[in-house]
Amino acid sequence: MTDARATIRSTPQMLPADAFAGPLSVVQDGAPVIMVLGGAGTGKTTFLHALRRHGGSRQAFLAPTGVAALQLGGQTIHSFFGLPPRLMDPEQVKPRSQKRTLMKKLERLVIDEISMVRADVLDAVDRSLRIARGNPEPFGGVQVVLVGDFLQLPPVVPTTERELLGHLGYEGPFAFDARVLTEVDVARLPFTTVYRQSDADFVAHLAALRAGRGVMEAVDAINAASMRPHREGRIPVVLAPTNTRVDAYNRRGMEQLADGGRLYEGRSEGEFDLANDRLPVPEVLTLKVGARVMAVRNDPEKQWVNGSVGTVLGLSPDRAFVRLDAGGVAEIERTSWERIRYDWDEATGKIAAKVVGTYTQIPLVPAWAVTVHKAQGLTLEDVRIDLDTGAFAAGQAYVALSRARSLEGLSLVRPLRSSDIRIDRRVAAFSAAFEAAGLRVHSDG
């Protein structure tokens, strides 16, 4: 991999318009494979938006899961390449004939949430592109941009599949274990400046927990600051590891409300399978006046964003009126999530993102509590962490704690324990080496 370090300079929580001029120039200069890694709140999502705006018409944006693809406005990796939903031997992969024209015209492939992509999947992507394009270079000569954080949520790999990956010659299940990355000079862009939090001590504690260094000191400091009732006058979102724990909080909150409530039924059109797709909002959503809710879409008018929290003031057949904790009352109508399929448009000579299915529903979910997994990527003003019997995945406690914008807005149901900080040592070593030797790209921001 290319020795590199990327530093984006800015004031905390503020990203200047040209903050990503340096990283974008690395992409536009044509490095064959670029890995953009950074902790929570370092601007990865904003970088993706900038790349979409300035990256040209022959790029595709992919994600490992359906929900992540919907939020990204792209397609799943498996759908784009026609890959089976199971562990695979990349040597046996053959691209679908109807996808070959699109793959031949592709110039750049952007994959978000790379920490959740298995090594065999990335190698299958590589083989598909080489065959379809008749090009023996890595990824068939397509520029590939990989974005995420390996120290957050890992790929889900059952023990039996982990053993099979070993039989296929993989050292581990992570994308950085893919064979293709040993064949190409990877440009490394570590995003190291945190924008979400402004408290230098909190940023340092989170960095320690993310990397697994100085864990006891960080745990003690966070417990000292946050092991208390939540700050007065604010209702926090509880983050918990399991659906069972979260459902109990939300059920209890809803049952305590006197309002009879209203049911909202989701509608799907085209290629949207309600029975099997993981939906951003349940097919049958129950809301009541007084309910705590969270928006799960950005508002085009910018009244609220994905992760905005508030309390329902009123309900009508096709909308909810929500007093936002951040201030003001929002009228939140039904909205549609679009399932995208990339195709080559011969008439325009561009890659077209065609809408092949939609799911329409009120973009709200109950928010007395949310799972850590669903909170990934969100910034929350008031967070209460309930790790219950403990975090069960590497990076889970870090993801939960790093949702909070400040220590003042963070409280704990029980003290944080060092055993909650689960670190995969191979991932920690890879990430430390990545951040220590990356391309130094300065912004004028």
Side-chain angles (χ1 to χ4, degrees):
M1 292 191 179
T2 300
D3 286 343
R5 177 180 253 303
T7 301
I8 311 286
R9 293 176 301 153
S10 170
T11 55
Q13 305 173 28
M14 295 291 290
L15 283 81
D18 62 349
F20 299 110
L24 284 173
S25 71
V26 174
V27 175
Q28 289 158 353
D29 286 347
V33 178
I34 300 162
M35 195 175 277
V36 177
L37 303 182
T42 54
K44 298 185 299 295
T45 299
T46 308
F47 168 74
L48 285 168
H49 292 321
L51 188 55
R52 190 189 296 278
R53 287 195 306 273
H54 304 296
S57 61
R58 294 197 180 189
Q59 57 182 357
F61 288 76
L62 307 183
T65 68
V67 171
L70 287 174
Q71 297 291 9
L72 180 65
Q75 194 172 345
T76 65
I77 299 168
H78 286 74
S79 168
F80 185 91
F81 288 99
L83 301 176
R86 54 175 169 76
L87 186 143
M88 67 199 92
D89 181 351
E91 296 301 318
Q92 306 301 317
V93 170
K94 294 180 181 176
R96 292 179 183 174
S97 57
Q98 68 266 34
K99 296 281 186 181
R100 292 193 178 212
T101 299
L102 173 60
M103 291 188 211
K104 286 178 182 176
K105 301 294 186 181
L106 191 65
E107 292 179 355
R108 180 181 302 122
L109 185 66
V110 183
I111 300 179
D112 192 19
E113 302 286 10
I114 191 61
S115 73
M116 299 177 70
V117 178
R118 291 194 322 266
D120 61 306
V121 173
L122 193 60
D123 277 335
V125 168
D126 167 53
R127 180 172 172 81
S128 296
L129 288 169
R130 292 193 205 208
I131 293 173
R133 296 167 64 87
N135 185 332
E137 295 177 25
F139 298 107
V142 173
Q143 184 185 48
V144 174
V145 182
L146 308 173
V147 182
D149 181 11
F150 286 105
L151 287 166
Q152 293 191 45
L153 300 180
V156 178
V157 186
T159 303
T160 52
E161 290 194 1
R162 204 172 273 262
E163 291 172 358
L164 287 171
L165 281 169
H167 290 313
L168 288 171
Y170 289 104
E171 189 176 350
F174 298 95
F176 62 74
D177 291 311
R179 298 182 191 114
V180 63
L181 296 186
T182 67
E183 299 179 35
V184 64
D185 196 21
V186 178
R188 296 187 267 198
L189 289 175
F191 280 14
T192 55
T193 297
V194 175
Y195 300 97
R196 181 174 292 151
Q197 293 92 11
S198 57
D199 180 335
D201 288 338
F202 190 26
V203 170
H205 300 329
L206 290 174
L209 298 183
R210 174 174 177 264
R213 295 191 298 268
V215 167
M216 279 308 306
E217 293 86 346
V219 165
D220 289 345
I222 289 175
N223 282 336
S226 304
M227 188 56 221
R228 54 176 169 73
H230 200 75
R231 59 179 169 176
E232 243 182 276
R234 305 289 188 95
I235 305 173
V237 176
V238 176
L239 297 185
T242 65
N243 283 312
T244 302
R245 193 76 165 173
V246 163
D247 290 346
Y249 274 106
N250 287 329
R251 186 169 56 251
R252 192 181 313 129
M254 204 69 81
E255 287 171 352
Q256 289 174 351
L257 298 175
D259 182 55
R262 186 184 285 272
L263 291 181
Y264 296 89
E265 294 189 4
R267 300 191 308 272
S268 68
E269 295 181 13
E271 296 177 20
F272 223 110
D273 182 356
L274 289 181
N276 297 310
D277 282 328
R278 288 185 61 193
L279 302 172
V281 180
E283 184 183 357
V284 178
L285 172 68
T286 300
L287 294 177
K288 293 183 178 183
V289 171
R292 296 289 292 166
V293 291
M294 175 186 291
V296 291
R297 277 297 292 271
N298 291 329
D299 174 30
E301 303 299 319
K302 297 183 169 38
Q303 291 183 77
W304 68 87
V305 296
N306 182 25
S308 290
V309 177
T311 302
V312 175
L313 294 181
L315 299 167
S316 69
D318 62 349
R319 67 197 63 201
F321 300 88
V322 178
R323 183 182 300 283
L324 299 173
D325 289 358
V329 175
E331 186 176 334
I332 301 181
E333 302 177 86
R334 290 181 187 270
T335 190
S336 293
W337 287 263
E338 296 177 336
R339 172 144 289 166
I340 298 296
R341 184 175 66 221
Y342 288 103
D343 286 311
W344 176 250
D345 188 324
E346 199 66 56
T348 62
K350 295 179 179 179
I351 290 176
K354 295 187 177 180
V355 178
V356 295
T358 60
Y359 175 64
T360 304
Q361 180 59 291
I362 301 281
L364 295 171
V365 295
W368 286 276
V370 175
T371 62
V372 175
H373 189 88
K374 287 182 180 173
Q376 189 168 16
L378 300 182
T379 300
L380 300 171
E381 297 292 338
D382 285 88
V383 183
R384 189 162 175 80
I385 309 292
D386 180 1
L387 289 177
D388 194 16
T389 56
F392 61 83
Q396 198 170 47
Y398 166 73
V399 171
L401 293 162
S402 60
R403 300 310 96 197
R405 194 184 287 280
S406 66
L407 277 170
E408 291 76 21
L410 173 67
S411 65
L412 305 172
V413 170
R414 67 152 172 84
L416 192 62
R417 301 190 287 253
S418 57
S419 59
D420 293 323
I421 313 305
R422 298 172 62 110
I423 303 287
D424 185 305
R425 294 298 165 187
R426 285 187 66 243
V427 173
F430 172 85
S431 298
F434 186 95
E435 291 182 4
L439 181 63
R440 185 174 292 278
V441 179
H442 290 291
S443 159
D444 294 329

PDB file of all heavy atoms in Angstrom, residues 55-83:
ATOM      1  N   GLY A  55     -17.724  13.470  -9.132  1.00  0.00           N
ATOM      2  CA  GLY A  55     -16.987  12.310  -9.622  1.00  0.00           C
ATOM      3  C   GLY A  55     -17.302  11.857 -11.026  1.00  0.00           C
ATOM      4  O   GLY A  55     -16.754  10.846 -11.475  1.00  0.00           O
ATOM      5  N   GLY A  56     -18.183  12.555 -11.730  1.00  0.00           N
ATOM      6  CA  GLY A  56     -18.473  12.163 -13.102  1.00  0.00           C
ATOM      7  C   GLY A  56     -19.646  11.200 -13.225  1.00  0.00           C
ATOM      8  O   GLY A  56     -20.286  10.826 -12.234  1.00  0.00           O
ATOM      9  N   SER A  57     -19.914  10.774 -14.458  1.00  0.00           N
ATOM     10  CA  SER A  57     -21.132  10.021 -14.757  1.00  0.00           C
ATOM     11  C   SER A  57     -20.901   8.525 -14.943  1.00  0.00           C
ATOM     12  O   SER A  57     -21.814   7.804 -15.282  1.00  0.00           O
ATOM     13  CB  SER A  57     -21.773  10.586 -16.032  1.00  0.00           C
ATOM     14  OG  SER A  57     -20.881  10.449 -17.134  1.00  0.00           O
ATOM     15  N   ARG A  58     -19.676   8.061 -14.740  1.00  0.00           N
ATOM     16  CA  ARG A  58     -19.415   6.631 -14.934  1.00  0.00           C
ATOM     17  C   ARG A  58     -18.929   5.982 -13.632  1.00  0.00           C
ATOM     18  O   ARG A  58     -17.955   5.242 -13.613  1.00  0.00           O
ATOM     19  CB  ARG A  58     -18.408   6.404 -16.062  1.00  0.00           C
ATOM     20  CG  ARG A  58     -18.952   6.820 -17.412  1.00  0.00           C
ATOM     21  CD  ARG A  58     -18.154   6.240 -18.554  1.00  0.00           C
ATOM     22  NE  ARG A  58     -18.666   6.637 -19.844  1.00  0.00           N
ATOM     23  CZ  ARG A  58     -18.255   6.143 -21.003  1.00  0.00           C
ATOM     24  NH1 ARG A  58     -17.319   5.206 -21.032  1.00  0.00           N
ATOM     25  NH2 ARG A  58     -18.772   6.558 -22.139  1.00  0.00           N
ATOM     26  N   GLN A  59     -19.625   6.300 -12.538  1.00  0.00           N
ATOM     27  CA  GLN A  59     -19.293   5.708 -11.251  1.00  0.00           C
ATOM     28  C   GLN A  59     -20.552   5.112 -10.632  1.00  0.00           C
ATOM     29  O   GLN A  59     -21.672   5.557 -10.909  1.00  0.00           O
ATOM     30  CB  GLN A  59     -18.657   6.737 -10.314  1.00  0.00           C
ATOM     31  CG  GLN A  59     -19.505   7.970 -10.050  1.00  0.00           C
ATOM     32  CD  GLN A  59     -18.795   8.982  -9.148  1.00  0.00           C
ATOM     33  OE1 GLN A  59     -17.691   8.751  -8.660  1.00  0.00           O
ATOM     34  NE2 GLN A  59     -19.437  10.115  -8.903  1.00  0.00           N
ATOM     35  N   ALA A  60     -20.372   4.089  -9.809  1.00  0.00           N
ATOM     36  CA  ALA A  60     -21.483   3.443  -9.119  1.00  0.00           C
ATOM     37  C   ALA A  60     -21.159   3.377  -7.640  1.00  0.00           C
ATOM     38  O   ALA A  60     -20.006   3.163  -7.252  1.00  0.00           O
ATOM     39  CB  ALA A  60     -21.707   2.036  -9.680  1.00  0.00           C
ATOM     40  N   PHE A  61     -22.197   3.561  -6.800  1.00  0.00           N
ATOM     41  CA  PHE A  61     -22.050   3.541  -5.348  1.00  0.00           C
ATOM     42  C   PHE A  61     -22.738   2.293  -4.795  1.00  0.00           C
ATOM     43  O   PHE A  61     -23.940   2.098  -5.009  1.00  0.00           O
ATOM     44  CB  PHE A  61     -22.668   4.805  -4.735  1.00  0.00           C
ATOM     45  CG  PHE A  61     -21.865   6.049  -4.991  1.00  0.00           C
ATOM     46  CD1 PHE A  61     -21.897   6.666  -6.245  1.00  0.00           C
ATOM     47  CD2 PHE A  61     -21.060   6.599  -4.005  1.00  0.00           C
ATOM     48  CE1 PHE A  61     -21.143   7.807  -6.496  1.00  0.00           C
ATOM     49  CE2 PHE A  61     -20.307   7.738  -4.251  1.00  0.00           C
ATOM     50  CZ  PHE A  61     -20.341   8.336  -5.503  1.00  0.00           C
ATOM     51  N   LEU A  62     -21.979   1.469  -4.085  1.00  0.00           N
ATOM     52  CA  LEU A  62     -22.491   0.200  -3.585  1.00  0.00           C
ATOM     53  C   LEU A  62     -22.293   0.094  -2.082  1.00  0.00           C
ATOM     54  O   LEU A  62     -21.434   0.758  -1.501  1.00  0.00           O
ATOM     55  CB  LEU A  62     -21.790  -0.976  -4.270  1.00  0.00           C
ATOM     56  CG  LEU A  62     -21.766  -0.996  -5.803  1.00  0.00           C
ATOM     57  CD1 LEU A  62     -21.097  -2.282  -6.288  1.00  0.00           C
ATOM     58  CD2 LEU A  62     -23.164  -0.862  -6.395  1.00  0.00           C
ATOM     59  N   ALA A  63     -23.090  -0.787  -1.458  1.00  0.00           N
ATOM     60  CA  ALA A  63     -22.988  -1.048  -0.018  1.00  0.00           C
ATOM     61  C   ALA A  63     -23.262  -2.522   0.234  1.00  0.00           C
ATOM     62  O   ALA A  63     -23.901  -3.188  -0.597  1.00  0.00           O
ATOM     63  CB  ALA A  63     -23.969  -0.166   0.754  1.00  0.00           C
ATOM     64  N   PRO A  64     -22.810  -3.062   1.381  1.00  0.00           N
ATOM     65  CA  PRO A  64     -22.979  -4.492   1.622  1.00  0.00           C
ATOM     66  C   PRO A  64     -24.385  -4.929   2.003  1.00  0.00           C
ATOM     67  O   PRO A  64     -24.725  -6.103   1.848  1.00  0.00           O
ATOM     68  CB  PRO A  64     -22.000  -4.770   2.775  1.00  0.00           C
ATOM     69  CG  PRO A  64     -21.804  -3.455   3.439  1.00  0.00           C
ATOM     70  CD  PRO A  64     -21.934  -2.419   2.368  1.00  0.00           C
ATOM     71  N   THR A  65     -25.221  -4.024   2.528  1.00  0.00           N
ATOM     72  CA  THR A  65     -26.568  -4.407   2.953  1.00  0.00           C
ATOM     73  C   THR A  65     -27.615  -3.544   2.264  1.00  0.00           C
ATOM     74  O   THR A  65     -27.322  -2.439   1.792  1.00  0.00           O
ATOM     75  CB  THR A  65     -26.741  -4.245   4.476  1.00  0.00           C
ATOM     76  OG1 THR A  65     -26.693  -2.834   4.800  1.00  0.00           O
ATOM     77  CG2 THR A  65     -25.651  -4.987   5.239  1.00  0.00           C
ATOM     78  N   GLY A  66     -28.853  -4.054   2.249  1.00  0.00           N
ATOM     79  CA  GLY A  66     -29.940  -3.327   1.604  1.00  0.00           C
ATOM     80  C   GLY A  66     -30.227  -1.994   2.250  1.00  0.00           C
ATOM     81  O   GLY A  66     -30.416  -0.981   1.564  1.00  0.00           O
ATOM     82  N   VAL A  67     -30.257  -1.954   3.587  1.00  0.00           N
ATOM     83  CA  VAL A  67     -30.548  -0.702   4.283  1.00  0.00           C
ATOM     84  C   VAL A  67     -29.440   0.312   4.027  1.00  0.00           C
ATOM     85  O   VAL A  67     -29.699   1.489   3.768  1.00  0.00           O
ATOM     86  CB  VAL A  67     -30.739  -0.952   5.796  1.00  0.00           C
ATOM     87  CG1 VAL A  67     -30.815   0.368   6.555  1.00  0.00           C
ATOM     88  CG2 VAL A  67     -32.005  -1.757   6.041  1.00  0.00           C
ATOM     89  N   ALA A  68     -28.183  -0.139   4.071  1.00  0.00           N
ATOM     90  CA  ALA A  68     -27.058   0.774   3.807  1.00  0.00           C
ATOM     91  C   ALA A  68     -27.119   1.304   2.380  1.00  0.00           C
ATOM     92  O   ALA A  68     -26.828   2.477   2.125  1.00  0.00           O
ATOM     93  CB  ALA A  68     -25.731   0.059   4.057  1.00  0.00           C
ATOM     94  N   ALA A  69     -27.518   0.445   1.437  1.00  0.00           N
ATOM     95  CA  ALA A  69     -27.633   0.877   0.041  1.00  0.00           C
ATOM     96  C   ALA A  69     -28.739   1.911  -0.127  1.00  0.00           C
ATOM     97  O   ALA A  69     -28.591   2.888  -0.873  1.00  0.00           O
ATOM     98  CB  ALA A  69     -27.884  -0.326  -0.867  1.00  0.00           C
ATOM     99  N   LEU A  70     -29.863   1.721   0.577  1.00  0.00           N
ATOM    100  CA  LEU A  70     -30.960   2.688   0.506  1.00  0.00           C
ATOM    101  C   LEU A  70     -30.511   4.045   1.043  1.00  0.00           C
ATOM    102  O   LEU A  70     -30.816   5.087   0.451  1.00  0.00           O
ATOM    103  CB  LEU A  70     -32.170   2.190   1.309  1.00  0.00           C
ATOM    104  CG  LEU A  70     -32.967   1.032   0.709  1.00  0.00           C
ATOM    105  CD1 LEU A  70     -34.031   0.564   1.687  1.00  0.00           C
ATOM    106  CD2 LEU A  70     -33.612   1.433  -0.611  1.00  0.00           C
ATOM    107  N   GLN A  71     -29.799   4.044   2.169  1.00  0.00           N
ATOM    108  CA  GLN A  71     -29.343   5.303   2.747  1.00  0.00           C
ATOM    109  C   GLN A  71     -28.290   5.965   1.862  1.00  0.00           C
ATOM    110  O   GLN A  71     -28.224   7.191   1.772  1.00  0.00           O
ATOM    111  CB  GLN A  71     -28.761   5.062   4.154  1.00  0.00           C
ATOM    112  CG  GLN A  71     -29.772   4.520   5.165  1.00  0.00           C
ATOM    113  CD  GLN A  71     -30.858   5.505   5.566  1.00  0.00           C
ATOM    114  OE1 GLN A  71     -30.997   6.577   4.977  1.00  0.00           O
ATOM    115  NE2 GLN A  71     -31.650   5.147   6.550  1.00  0.00           N
ATOM    116  N   LEU A  72     -27.483   5.145   1.193  1.00  0.00           N
ATOM    117  CA  LEU A  72     -26.427   5.664   0.321  1.00  0.00           C
ATOM    118  C   LEU A  72     -26.987   6.181  -0.998  1.00  0.00           C
ATOM    119  O   LEU A  72     -26.370   7.017  -1.663  1.00  0.00           O
ATOM    120  CB  LEU A  72     -25.412   4.546   0.058  1.00  0.00           C
ATOM    121  CG  LEU A  72     -24.204   4.839  -0.833  1.00  0.00           C
ATOM    122  CD1 LEU A  72     -23.281   5.875  -0.182  1.00  0.00           C
ATOM    123  CD2 LEU A  72     -23.433   3.557  -1.116  1.00  0.00           C
ATOM    124  N   GLY A  73     -28.182   5.695  -1.370  1.00  0.00           N
ATOM    125  CA  GLY A  73     -28.720   6.028  -2.686  1.00  0.00           C
ATOM    126  C   GLY A  73     -28.026   5.232  -3.769  1.00  0.00           C
ATOM    127  O   GLY A  73     -27.819   5.711  -4.891  1.00  0.00           O
ATOM    128  N   GLY A  74     -27.654   3.993  -3.435  1.00  0.00           N
ATOM    129  CA  GLY A  74     -26.955   3.143  -4.391  1.00  0.00           C
ATOM    130  C   GLY A  74     -27.558   1.756  -4.443  1.00  0.00           C
ATOM    131  O   GLY A  74     -28.754   1.575  -4.187  1.00  0.00           O
ATOM    132  N   GLN A  75     -26.739   0.760  -4.738  1.00  0.00           N
ATOM    133  CA  GLN A  75     -27.190  -0.603  -4.934  1.00  0.00           C
ATOM    134  C   GLN A  75     -26.354  -1.521  -4.045  1.00  0.00           C
ATOM    135  O   GLN A  75     -25.234  -1.167  -3.657  1.00  0.00           O
ATOM    136  CB  GLN A  75     -27.012  -0.983  -6.415  1.00  0.00           C
ATOM    137  CG  GLN A  75     -27.729  -2.241  -6.863  1.00  0.00           C
ATOM    138  CD  GLN A  75     -27.662  -2.428  -8.386  1.00  0.00           C
ATOM    139  OE1 GLN A  75     -27.322  -1.486  -9.117  1.00  0.00           O
ATOM    140  NE2 GLN A  75     -27.995  -3.603  -8.865  1.00  0.00           N
ATOM    141  N   THR A  76     -26.886  -2.693  -3.715  1.00  0.00           N
ATOM    142  CA  THR A  76     -26.061  -3.623  -2.949  1.00  0.00           C
ATOM    143  C   THR A  76     -25.009  -4.244  -3.866  1.00  0.00           C
ATOM    144  O   THR A  76     -25.210  -4.381  -5.074  1.00  0.00           O
ATOM    145  CB  THR A  76     -26.878  -4.753  -2.304  1.00  0.00           C
ATOM    146  OG1 THR A  76     -27.440  -5.572  -3.323  1.00  0.00           O
ATOM    147  CG2 THR A  76     -27.979  -4.201  -1.402  1.00  0.00           C
ATOM    148  N   ILE A  77     -23.896  -4.647  -3.258  1.00  0.00           N
ATOM    149  CA  ILE A  77     -22.831  -5.299  -4.019  1.00  0.00           C
ATOM    150  C   ILE A  77     -23.361  -6.560  -4.687  1.00  0.00           C
ATOM    151  O   ILE A  77     -23.107  -6.801  -5.873  1.00  0.00           O
ATOM    152  CB  ILE A  77     -21.653  -5.649  -3.082  1.00  0.00           C
ATOM    153  CG1 ILE A  77     -21.067  -4.385  -2.445  1.00  0.00           C
ATOM    154  CG2 ILE A  77     -20.578  -6.427  -3.829  1.00  0.00           C
ATOM    155  CD1 ILE A  77     -20.101  -4.665  -1.297  1.00  0.00           C
ATOM    156  N   HIS A  78     -24.106  -7.360  -3.930  1.00  0.00           N
ATOM    157  CA  HIS A  78     -24.594  -8.637  -4.457  1.00  0.00           C
ATOM    158  C   HIS A  78     -25.551  -8.435  -5.627  1.00  0.00           C
ATOM    159  O   HIS A  78     -25.508  -9.177  -6.612  1.00  0.00           O
ATOM    160  CB  HIS A  78     -25.261  -9.447  -3.345  1.00  0.00           C
ATOM    161  CG  HIS A  78     -24.288 -10.047  -2.375  1.00  0.00           C
ATOM    162  ND1 HIS A  78     -23.637  -9.290  -1.422  1.00  0.00           N
ATOM    163  CD2 HIS A  78     -23.840 -11.326  -2.231  1.00  0.00           C
ATOM    164  CE1 HIS A  78     -22.829 -10.085  -0.720  1.00  0.00           C
ATOM    165  NE2 HIS A  78     -22.933 -11.320  -1.185  1.00  0.00           N
ATOM    166  N   SER A  79     -26.395  -7.429  -5.536  1.00  0.00           N
ATOM    167  CA  SER A  79     -27.343  -7.159  -6.621  1.00  0.00           C
ATOM    168  C   SER A  79     -26.617  -6.656  -7.870  1.00  0.00           C
ATOM    169  O   SER A  79     -26.889  -7.093  -8.988  1.00  0.00           O
ATOM    170  CB  SER A  79     -28.379  -6.124  -6.155  1.00  0.00           C
ATOM    171  OG  SER A  79     -29.139  -5.646  -7.236  1.00  0.00           O
ATOM    172  N   PHE A  80     -25.678  -5.737  -7.688  1.00  0.00           N
ATOM    173  CA  PHE A  80     -24.965  -5.141  -8.821  1.00  0.00           C
ATOM    174  C   PHE A  80     -24.204  -6.213  -9.605  1.00  0.00           C
ATOM    175  O   PHE A  80     -24.224  -6.228 -10.841  1.00  0.00           O
ATOM    176  CB  PHE A  80     -23.994  -4.075  -8.309  1.00  0.00           C
ATOM    177  CG  PHE A  80     -23.291  -3.296  -9.387  1.00  0.00           C
ATOM    178  CD1 PHE A  80     -23.836  -2.121  -9.884  1.00  0.00           C
ATOM    179  CD2 PHE A  80     -22.082  -3.728  -9.915  1.00  0.00           C
ATOM    180  CE1 PHE A  80     -23.192  -1.390 -10.872  1.00  0.00           C
ATOM    181  CE2 PHE A  80     -21.427  -3.016 -10.908  1.00  0.00           C
ATOM    182  CZ  PHE A  80     -21.989  -1.836 -11.388  1.00  0.00           C
ATOM    183  N   PHE A  81     -23.544  -7.124  -8.882  1.00  0.00           N
ATOM    184  CA  PHE A  81     -22.714  -8.127  -9.549  1.00  0.00           C
ATOM    185  C   PHE A  81     -23.407  -9.477  -9.729  1.00  0.00           C
ATOM    186  O   PHE A  81     -22.824 -10.391 -10.322  1.00  0.00           O
ATOM    187  CB  PHE A  81     -21.409  -8.324  -8.776  1.00  0.00           C
ATOM    188  CG  PHE A  81     -20.458  -7.163  -8.910  1.00  0.00           C
ATOM    189  CD1 PHE A  81     -20.369  -6.203  -7.917  1.00  0.00           C
ATOM    190  CD2 PHE A  81     -19.681  -7.010 -10.053  1.00  0.00           C
ATOM    191  CE1 PHE A  81     -19.516  -5.114  -8.053  1.00  0.00           C
ATOM    192  CE2 PHE A  81     -18.827  -5.938 -10.202  1.00  0.00           C
ATOM    193  CZ  PHE A  81     -18.737  -4.980  -9.199  1.00  0.00           C
ATOM    194  N   GLY A  82     -24.632  -9.600  -9.215  1.00  0.00           N
ATOM    195  CA  GLY A  82     -25.333 -10.873  -9.341  1.00  0.00           C
ATOM    196  C   GLY A  82     -24.676 -11.982  -8.545  1.00  0.00           C
ATOM    197  O   GLY A  82     -24.629 -13.137  -8.982  1.00  0.00           O
ATOM    198  N   LEU A  83     -24.177 -11.654  -7.358  1.00  0.00           N
ATOM    199  CA  LEU A  83     -23.480 -12.638  -6.531  1.00  0.00           C
ATOM    200  C   LEU A  83     -24.468 -13.377  -5.634  1.00  0.00           C
ATOM    201  O   LEU A  83     -25.457 -12.798  -5.177  1.00  0.00           O
ATOM    202  CB  LEU A  83     -22.431 -11.943  -5.661  1.00  0.00           C
ATOM    203  CG  LEU A  83     -21.336 -11.159  -6.397  1.00  0.00           C
ATOM    204  CD1 LEU A  83     -20.439 -10.440  -5.398  1.00  0.00           C
ATOM    205  CD2 LEU A  83     -20.509 -12.087  -7.284  1.00  0.00           C
TER     206      LEU A  83
END
